[in-house]
Each structure stands twice: as structure tokens, then as C-alpha cells.
Amino acid sequence: MAANVAVAVALAAGCSAADPDPRAYPGSPKGQTLEAVTKAFGLDLPACELKGVGFSGSSKYPEERLSLSFRASKECVDGYLSTHQADPADPLHWTPGQGNRIGFDTPETQRFGWSFDRAVTYDLFVDFTTSTGSRFSVVADPGQTERTVYLESHFLGGSS
């Protein structure tokens, strides 16, 4: 029995060392934390309560991509967009199924659990920029009290 416990502990330790952040999406690069990946992009998260945070990306190879989603109050999301050169009062609009050129609603993002209602028009921001010059496309649902935000990097700025 002691041997079984030792094996279980070793397996658990091995899994946690390989994928230390439970917010990482399935199939994400192993061994990454949200904090390390967002730092590589010069991206600070909002200072409000975030729900359902998930990510995929690499701090070692940030040029590959960062995919990130979270849910927060509308006030928090709108303020966050504003601090990153995206005007929440002047979005572009996107309806799922109108082409995948912006990087959302793809088989990869579906693997993350991202799903978009084809009957909803989402706010789209293509000018979201971090302090280091990294740029993202952002889709936000039109929620009135809370909004879900999806970010996809498309340019890695300078290092911080």
C-alpha cells in the first residue's frame, strides 16, 4: 500500500510540475503560468474581480501566440479596454460565421471552450495595445452588467 501511495504522489507531483497553472487551456504549452505569459507580452490584467480566466501561450516563445479569456463587470472591462487604446464606445462588430480571419471561433479556440452565439453581434477591437507594443484583437460580448472578453495576440511588442 505504501508503494501505491508513493507512486500516486510521484504521478501527482509530475503532473503539477508539467502544468502548474490550472487556468491553462487543454493543449496549451506545458509548464506555463498566466503571470509569466502575460508578462512576456507586457499585458497587465484588470485590477477587478475576474471569473473564468483561461489562457494558452508561452513565456519562452511568446511570438507563437497568447489566447486569453475572462469575465468581469462591464465597468471593469470597458475601463480595461480604454487603458489599452481600445474605445469601448466605438467598437467594430463581429458575428460568428462571418469569416475566421480575425482568429476567433476556430477549432483551436473551440478546444479552449470558447463558443460564440451566431445570433449575437459581438464588439470587436483590433487596436488593443500593451505598454510594450504588443497588439491584440479583442472580442467582447455585449453584456450589460458583465462581459466576457476574448483576446488573441497578433503582434509581440518589445520586451519589458
Side-chain angles (χ1 to χ4, degrees), residues 75-101:
E75 179 181 343
C76 174
V77 169
D78 290 353
Y80 185 61
L81 292 168
S82 293
T83 62
H84 290 91
Q85 293 76 47
D87 183 355
D90 190 25
L92 300 172
H93 297 285
W94 175 69
T95 302
Q98 292 183 338
N100 291 331
R101 290 190 241 185

Side-chain angles (χ1 to χ4, degrees), residues 1-2 21 26 36 56 60 63 75 82 84-85 89-90 98 118 127 131 149:
M1 177 145 168
D21 197 323
S56 179
K60 187 173 181 181
E63 65 278 357
E75 179 181 343
S82 293
H84 290 91
Q85 293 76 47
D90 190 25
Q98 292 183 338
R118 291 178 180 262
D127 49 358
S131 61
V149 177

Side-chain angles (χ1 to χ4, degrees), residues 50-124:
L50 302 181
K51 301 173 186 172
V53 176
F55 78 98
S56 179
S58 172
S59 60
K60 187 173 181 181
Y61 303 105
E63 65 278 357
E64 290 179 2
R65 180 189 291 160
L66 169 58
S67 301
L68 171 70
S69 68
F70 60 85
R71 187 156 188 82
S73 71
K74 181 182 183 328
E75 179 181 343
C76 174
V77 169
D78 290 353
Y80 185 61
L81 292 168
S82 293
T83 62
H84 290 91
Q85 293 76 47
D87 183 355
D90 190 25
L92 300 172
H93 297 285
W94 175 69
T95 302
Q98 292 183 338
N100 291 331
R101 290 190 241 185
I102 63 169
F104 298 92
D105 202 19
T106 64
E108 180 180 34
T109 59
Q110 290 168 5
R111 185 185 77 225
F112 300 158
W114 294 9
S115 62
F116 299 95
D117 185 339
R118 291 178 180 262
V120 172
T121 299
Y122 294 82
D123 291 345
L124 169 64

Side-chain angles (χ1 to χ4, degrees), residues 38 40-44 80 83-85 127-136 151 155-158:
T38 55
F41 283 85
L43 180 65
D44 293 321
Y80 185 61
T83 62
H84 290 91
Q85 293 76 47
D127 49 358
F128 184 100
T129 307
T130 71
S131 61
T132 60
S134 295
R135 289 193 300 267
F136 291 79
L151 294 97
F155 177 77
L156 176 65

